[in-house]
Amino acid sequence: MKYIMFWEYSSGDHNVVMDKLNEYRGQVKKNPDQHAKFIGKNYTLVDGTEGFQLLETENPEHLVKITRHYLPEVSFRFAPIVELEKVDGKVK
């Protein structure tokens, strides 16, 4: 299943969040099968403290792992997404 992962944090936590991001990327690189697959780049909104990224996983525990890693600085919301063709077979 594919998801949009929305994230948000306080600007005062920026350095801590960036350290956690680098740490998490290292964990994913070492054991990619134990983590969600990130699709594309991480996008931020203009103010830089909220954004989104696409990811894919069949294991809900992968979403929990992300959330726990960044607590308490970052809050997440995961929205499942599907291709329009799969919802409405008429779209080509």
Side-chain angles (χ1 to χ4, degrees), residues 22-83:
N22 289 328
E23 181 183 334
Y24 191 79
R25 285 179 174 167
Q27 292 174 11
V28 171
K29 192 172 185 174
K30 286 181 186 177
N31 299 301
D33 294 340
Q34 294 178 15
H35 299 276
K37 177 183 177 185
F38 290 93
I39 304 168
K41 298 185 184 248
N42 217 342
Y43 291 91
T44 185
L45 302 181
V46 176
D47 67 1
T49 61
E50 60 183 299
F52 66 92
Q53 187 167 17
L54 301 180
L55 59 89
E56 185 173 13
T57 184
E58 296 303 322
N59 185 346
E61 184 60 32
H62 290 167
L63 306 180
V64 173
K65 227 183 236 191
I66 293 168
T67 303
R68 286 183 180 159
H69 178 81
Y70 287 94
L71 284 175
E73 291 83 14
V74 183
S75 61
F76 291 94
R77 185 170 62 90
F78 298 94
I81 57 173
V82 294
E83 294 175 24

Side-chain angles (χ1 to χ4, degrees), residues 3-42:
Y3 297 86
I4 298 177
M5 175 183 74
F6 296 97
W7 50 265
E8 184 174 4
Y9 62 91
S10 169
S11 61
D13 292 327
H14 181 77
N15 291 339
V16 172
V17 172
M18 291 302 105
D19 289 344
K20 286 186 174 188
L21 175 61
N22 289 328
E23 181 183 334
Y24 191 79
R25 285 179 174 167
Q27 292 174 11
V28 171
K29 192 172 185 174
K30 286 181 186 177
N31 299 301
D33 294 340
Q34 294 178 15
H35 299 276
K37 177 183 177 185
F38 290 93
I39 304 168
K41 298 185 184 248
N42 217 342

